[in-house]
Amino acid sequence: MSTYVYGITASAHPALPEGMDGVGDPPRPVRILREGELAAVVSDAPENLRPKRKDLLAHQNVLAEAGAAGCVLPMRFGSVAPDDQAVTGVLAERAEHYKERLRTLDGRVEYNIKANHVEEAVLHRVMAESPEIRSLAEANRKAGGGSYEDKIRLGEMVAAAVKAKEAGDADALRGALEPAAEAVSVGPESTGWLANVSFLVDREAAEDFLAAVEQARKDLPHLEVRVNGPLPPYSFVEPGPAEPAGTAAGGADAGAG
């Protein structure tokens, strides 16, 4: 029977609620595997597991229950090992890495920020910033819309200007929020979003971070900014002792949607 892994914690971590169930139909009982100073929160892995809502919620619930009693390194949904021995073997092999992560992430949560342009607002901004675009648009207007070629040229110029602003706006948003966070993890490109960034935030400083988000919305009104969190620090499990928490980590999207 393969083993489903929810997260990794210290072996001294308080016990989970008795009779706790995890993923699967019927739900598999959650148990603890210990190896030295570390422990893994696991269950038997169901066959043909798919990311259905019921199982996604079960995964999140196990992490929430475990995390309420202390720091847990969350594994992403679908993390499966061949058996219990494989799990304890990884705990032993990577013990120093996981202990460093537990120390670093204790009391921290993740906020995932996605942003995109508000179409009408960014078009106004592009027009205001480009005399060339304004000039061609005005010439087309006076010509009753302009020739086909001029319309195509104007469209291409606007599209290029908007595209050029994406990277700058993503940097501006990150720069506005980074001082309120302890670490940053840039996620993979996500269709429809110009920024997909996760921030590691001290739980006690969450209000300050959210205030920084609101200020960024005011300072960058041509951006639509979506906040998802607080989340378990999915994007910050992997940086090890050689990669301090204050550096940008290549974490993945934290399932923020």
Side-chain angles (χ1 to χ4, degrees):
M1 175 71 69
S2 55
T3 302
Y4 187 96
V5 185
Y6 300 88
I8 296 167
T9 188
S11 59
H13 191 88
L16 293 172
E18 191 172 343
M20 187 173 185
D21 289 328
V23 298
D25 186 15
R28 272 49 172 184
V30 176
R31 49 197 171 83
I32 302 295
L33 297 177
R34 288 184 170 81
E35 175 63 38
E37 298 179 42
L38 296 171
V41 183
V42 306
S43 68
D44 291 345
E47 294 183 3
N48 302 317
L49 182 66
R50 297 290 183 270
K52 297 178 181 178
R53 177 175 175 79
K54 174 179 176 293
D55 287 318
L56 289 169
L57 290 175
H59 180 94
Q60 293 173 7
N61 182 60
V62 171
L63 287 172
E65 290 287 349
C71 186
V72 175
L73 304 180
M75 298 294 108
R76 295 186 185 278
F77 179 85
S79 298
V80 177
D83 51 36
D84 288 1
Q85 288 70 33
V87 176
T88 54
V90 171
L91 293 182
E93 180 182 344
R94 305 193 69 196
E96 292 308 312
H97 165 77
Y98 289 134
K99 287 189 287 185
E100 183 273 341
R101 288 289 85 195
L102 286 167
R103 289 191 298 269
T104 298
L105 300 180
D106 189 25
R108 275 70 177 174
V109 293
E110 175 174 334
Y111 283 90
N112 177 256
I113 305 294
K114 288 186 173 69
N116 200 8
H117 281 140
V118 177
E119 184 174 359
E120 185 174 348
V122 77
L123 289 177
H124 281 301
R125 184 163 292 223
V126 163
M127 294 289 284
E129 293 175 354
S130 174
E132 186 179 4
I133 291 177
R134 287 201 309 275
S135 177
L136 180 55
E138 180 62 16
N140 284 358
R141 186 187 67 78
K142 290 180 177 179
S147 67
Y148 174 78
E149 289 78 11
D150 284 340
K151 290 179 181 177
I152 293 296
R153 180 172 170 238
L154 178 60
E156 290 176 342
M157 289 173 64
V158 170
V162 170
K163 184 67 176 178
K165 286 191 71 62
E166 289 184 354
D169 286 335
D171 288 343
L173 180 62
R174 173 176 167 174
L177 301 182
E178 196 164 359
E182 295 190 2
V184 179
S185 175
V186 179
E189 292 186 6
S190 180
T191 303
W193 300 101
L194 60 85
N196 175 22
V197 187
S198 290
F199 296 85
L200 185 68
V201 178
D202 188 311
R203 193 183 296 273
E204 300 298 321
E207 288 188 8
D208 292 338
F209 179 80
L210 294 176
V213 173
E214 290 307 311
Q215 186 61 50
R217 283 174 168 151
K218 293 176 183 177
D219 295 340
L220 302 165
H222 59 295
L223 293 185
E224 174 192 355
V225 180
R226 178 186 293 181
V227 181
N228 197 353
L231 303 165
Y234 291 104
S235 300
F236 301 92
V237 171
E238 280 309 309
E243 190 173 359
T247 64
D253 186 349

